[in-house]
Every structure is written in structure tokens, then in C-alpha cells.
Amino acid sequence: MNGALLRDGVELNYRLSGSGGLPLVLVHGVGSYCESWDGVITRLSDRFRILSFDLRGHGRSARVKGRYEIDDFTGDVLALADHTGFGRFDLAGFSLGGLIAQRLALTHPERLRRLVLLSTVSGRTDEERERVLARLAALKAGDRGSHYDASLSRWLTEDFQARNPELIVELRRRNAENDPDCYASAYRVLAETDFGGLIDQIRLPTLIMTGELDQGSNPRMSRYMHERIPDSRLHILPGLRHSLLNEAPGQVAALMRGFLTEAAEEGRA
């Protein structure tokens, strides 16, 4: 089911999928859209009732101009969850979505059951912070083309790109539809937000995943989170870069299913 919610003048496009009963909310990354989760949704829809949506400024949601803050996004998640009847739910976030998920786990833990952090940043070093801020500066200077070309090489392995030329064309087409100002506003939140100093306050069972070859949300950051979140599990997926949802939806869905349905079985025990 597709729908739209008007929140404080911002229209948010959302989808409800699945015939299962377990509520699961999925949050995508910068410059992406709710359909990026389709490979995961098709594999989990038998067990979960799934809410996915376009972040403000993305996809079919309103192209809101101006500065974004992390709590604009977290407020959108909670408003959509309330609107669709998701009281307490599992939450999975990819990249920027993982930062949004971290923020919700820190500020509204009572709304969440379990947490999944995919290709997510935390505890950047000074060098890592400088690199992402340099990409933000280039983006603000209007260098969109080279930014995206460089992103593709960070996101997907060359072998996957060579084997999936039609998908690469589609990804480029969807990227070209992004509003430059909205993209830059969302990318600023990704580049400047880091909950590394607070991550040990998360008290939810957490599944952490990243690609072995991910440069931006690298394995060191995932280990950093795993070491600090008391009840967490870590999976470094061999041979993969950033875009796990495109290159390995089957692996992601299988790990999520095991982790989240285990919790449901525990709840009935």
C-alpha cells in the first residue's frame, strides 16, 4: 500500500508491505529512495509488516529546501510510525539511515524493539572526518558528476558493476533526478553527524553489518560500535563495499530475519 503523510507542511511518501505481523521500519541513505530496500522487503514480507519511505527531499517526498537536522528525520520516522499504527517496532537504517536509527535508539528507546545498523558510521577518526567533509565541500561547490562517479566506485565492486549494467544505468538515472540542494542538505547531516561518544548508551539488541571493503562506513567503525553497544552482533560481509542493499540483499535479509525473528520467539517463550 502506498500513502502520503503531511507533517508540518512536509509531504512524506511511504509504503506498507508484507503480510507478516512483526512491525519493521526501514530507513534509506542519502540520495536514495524507499525502493532501495526492495530486495530485502521481498525476502522478509512473509514475516514482517514493513514500513519504508522516502526521506524528506528524496524520491516522492517533498523537496524541502534549506538546512536539515538529524531530528527532522527522526521526527519524520516517528510521525510515520504513529500514522501507520506502528507502536513499538524493529528499526533498520542504511548509511544516513543508520545515523537516524542511532539517534532514535538514544532518544526514543521505548519505541524500538531491536536495531539494525547497515553500512553506518560511528567514531570517525580525524582523517576520516576530513575526507567526508572534503566530499561535502566538493558537493556544495556543484561538482555533482564527479561526486557520483566517485561514489559508485566506493559503493559497488567493479565485478558487480560489470555484471549489472542495466542497474548502473538505473542508479545513474535516479541520481540525476535528485534535487542538488536537497541532496547536499542531507549529505551535510551524514558528514557532520557522529554519535561515537554516545554509542555506548544504546541498550537495545543491535545487529551491525558492513562490507569488508567499505571505505566510508568501514569495518573499524563497525567494530567500534560492536565493542561499545553491550548487546550487539557484528557481521563484516566479505568482498563487499558500501551498497549492501544493491549487491547483497539476500545476505542482508537472511541475517536480519535470523536476528529479528529470534527476538520474536524469545518474546513468546
Side-chain angles (χ1 to χ4, degrees):
M1 184 190 86
N2 295 320
L5 171 67
L6 190 65
R7 175 182 180 251
D8 297 335
V10 177
E11 186 173 272
L12 300 169
N13 173 69
Y14 71 87
R15 297 187 306 168
L16 287 173
S17 311
S19 57
L22 298 175
L24 170 62
V25 178
L26 306 175
V27 189
H28 67 74
V30 173
S32 192
Y33 33 85
C34 62
E35 290 88 354
S36 66
W37 287 99
D38 281 356
V40 170
I41 290 172
T42 58
R43 292 169 169 86
L44 296 182
S45 59
D46 63 316
R47 191 68 194 274
F48 294 87
R49 183 67 168 156
I50 302 170
L51 168 63
S52 57
F53 67 100
D54 292 323
L55 294 173
R56 58 174 59 208
H58 293 69
R60 290 180 294 280
S61 288
R63 302 299 177 97
V64 188
K65 304 294 185 179
R67 185 181 176 92
Y68 297 171
E69 303 295 346
I70 189 76
D71 285 337
D72 293 327
F73 295 121
T74 58
D76 291 344
V77 173
L78 293 175
L80 285 164
D82 291 342
H83 178 70
T84 52
F86 282 40
R88 188 164 176 252
F89 51 89
D90 294 321
L91 177 63
F94 171 80
S95 197
L96 172 60
L99 283 171
I100 296 166
Q102 289 175 42
R103 179 65 170 166
L104 280 164
L106 290 166
T107 58
H108 292 82
E110 74 285 351
R111 295 297 302 271
L112 307 182
R113 198 172 65 104
R114 285 199 165 197
L115 192 65
V116 179
L117 303 176
L118 304 175
S119 304
T120 300
V121 299
S122 185
R124 287 183 177 109
T125 63
D126 289 342
E127 182 182 354
E128 289 163 347
R129 190 176 302 111
E130 289 171 6
R131 284 203 301 265
V132 72
L133 291 175
R135 290 197 291 271
L136 175 63
L139 185 62
K140 286 181 175 179
D143 194 6
R144 295 182 66 208
S146 62
H147 175 88
Y148 191 71
D149 288 340
S151 295
L152 272 180
S153 68
R154 291 196 309 273
W155 294 343
L156 299 164
T157 63
E158 283 77 12
D159 179 63
F160 182 83
Q161 292 184 58
R163 288 186 288 106
N164 296 273
E166 293 181 358
L167 175 61
I168 302 306
V169 169
E170 176 64 9
L171 291 174
R172 288 184 180 279
R173 184 190 69 79
R174 291 295 300 255
N175 178 69
E177 293 178 348
N178 282 321
D179 180 280
D181 294 332
C182 295
Y183 186 102
S185 294
Y187 197 87
R188 185 200 65 80
V189 177
L190 172 67
E192 296 182 0
T193 303
D194 195 321
F195 297 114
L198 302 171
I199 203 78
D200 61 345
Q201 296 179 27
I202 291 179
R203 291 293 183 267
L204 296 167
T206 302
L207 175 64
I208 303 164
M209 264 186 272
T210 200
E212 176 191 18
L213 306 176
D214 193 335
Q215 298 175 28
S217 311
N218 58 53
R220 184 200 63 77
M221 293 187 196
S222 290
R223 294 188 186 98
Y224 177 95
M225 289 185 283
H226 176 52
E227 290 166 0
R228 286 160 178 78
I229 299 175
D231 189 4
S232 65
R233 299 179 191 178
L234 173 64
H235 291 274
I236 307 297
L237 303 189
L240 295 175
R241 293 180 182 169
H242 188 61
S243 288
L244 303 182
L245 300 181
N246 282 314
E247 195 156 353
Q251 288 178 263
V252 170
L255 289 167
M256 287 178 61
R257 177 186 286 273
F259 176 69
L260 298 176
T261 57
E262 169 194 90
E265 295 300 329
E266 287 174 357
R268 285 199 291 267

